[in-house]
Amino acid sequence: MPIVILILSAVGGAIWWWIRNNPREALDTAQDVATTIKNAPRKLAFRRVANAHPVEGIDDERIALCAIAQAFIELDDLPTAELRQRLHVLLRSKLRCSEEEAQEMEVLGRWLMTQCNGPANAVMRLGRRLKKIDTGQSWDRLQEMLMPLAGEQLSQSQITAIEDLKSALRVK
C-alpha cells in the first residue's frame, strides 16, 4: 500500500509541476480532452437507443451504406485484403470521407453486421434502416459501391442480397 501511495504521489507531483510550468498548455489539453469526450458520440452520428437493435441507432446514411457494403463482401466467404482495400478506397471516393472516418465506418460496419447475426440478415435490416434515413440517392450510391466490389460475376447470395435491397429501398 505505501508503494501505491508513493507512485500516485509521484505522478500527482509530476502533473502538478507540469501544470505549474505550462498553465496555458495544460488548459488547452484539458479543453481538448473535454471536447473530444463531448463530441465522440456525434462523430459517427450513431446513437444508442434503449431496448432497440443497434441498427436502429444509425442516423447517417453513410454508415448504413458502409455496413451494407461490408456485409455484401462477406456474403460468400471472408473477403481478401485486396477486396477490403478496394472497399476502403470506394468509401473514401464515393462517400467523400477522410482516411480516419473511413476506418471508423468500416469498424462500425463490421460490428453492426455481427449484431445482425451475419451478413445476409444485415443486408436486409440495414436496407430497411437506410430507407428510413434515405435522402433519395441511396440506391445510386449503393450501386456505385457494390458493383466494383462484386467483380465479374455475382454469386447467388449476392443476387439475393441485391433483390432484398431493392425491396427494402422500394426500387423498381
Side-chain angles (χ1 to χ4, degrees):
M1 187 68 171
I3 294 174
V4 173
I5 293 173
L6 181 64
I7 291 172
L8 290 176
S9 298
V11 169
I15 292 171
W16 178 79
W17 185 259
W18 176 69
I19 291 171
R20 180 134 163 73
N21 289 333
N22 305 309
R24 183 169 288 152
E25 185 179 341
L27 287 174
D28 289 341
T29 302
Q31 186 177 16
D32 289 344
V33 168
T35 303
T36 301
I37 290 171
K38 179 179 144 191
N39 292 333
R42 281 187 242 149
K43 187 169 189 175
L44 290 174
F46 181 78
R47 60 179 163 75
R48 182 73 178 191
V49 180
N51 296 327
H53 194 275
V55 170
E56 298 305 316
I58 299 173
D59 288 338
D60 186 356
E61 71 178 31
R62 296 181 321 154
I63 294 172
L65 290 170
C66 175
I68 289 171
Q70 287 279 347
F72 188 78
I73 64 174
E74 292 193 19
L75 278 170
D76 293 322
D77 201 4
L78 289 177
T80 62
E82 177 185 321
L83 193 56
R84 286 196 187 276
Q85 182 60 34
R86 194 178 322 155
L87 173 63
H88 184 75
V89 170
L90 284 168
L91 288 175
R92 294 202 55 208
S93 63
K94 302 296 182 192
L95 300 182
R96 294 186 175 94
C97 59
S98 68
E99 176 82 18
E100 184 179 292
E101 284 178 317
Q103 289 175 348
E104 288 175 354
M105 284 193 295
E106 288 175 47
V107 170
L108 184 58
R110 273 188 232 111
W111 178 76
L112 287 168
M113 184 183 59
T114 60
Q115 294 299 305
C116 293
N117 297 324
N121 295 334
V123 169
M124 190 61 182
R125 183 170 227 150
L126 288 161
R128 288 191 306 260
R129 181 62 187 167
L130 183 59
K131 177 61 181 164
K132 290 179 184 175
I133 59 174
D134 188 12
T135 60
Q137 56 183 325
S138 297
W139 177 246
D140 295 332
R141 292 171 81 183
L142 193 57
Q143 279 185 309
E144 290 174 356
M145 289 178 61
L146 295 184
M147 290 311 136
L149 293 172
E152 298 171 9
Q153 187 174 349
L154 293 173
S155 68
Q156 185 59 41
S157 58
Q158 289 173 333
I159 292 170
T160 305
I162 289 177
E163 291 171 359
D164 290 345
L165 285 170
K166 282 183 177 179
S167 68
L169 295 171
R170 296 186 181 105
V171 176
K172 296 173 184 169

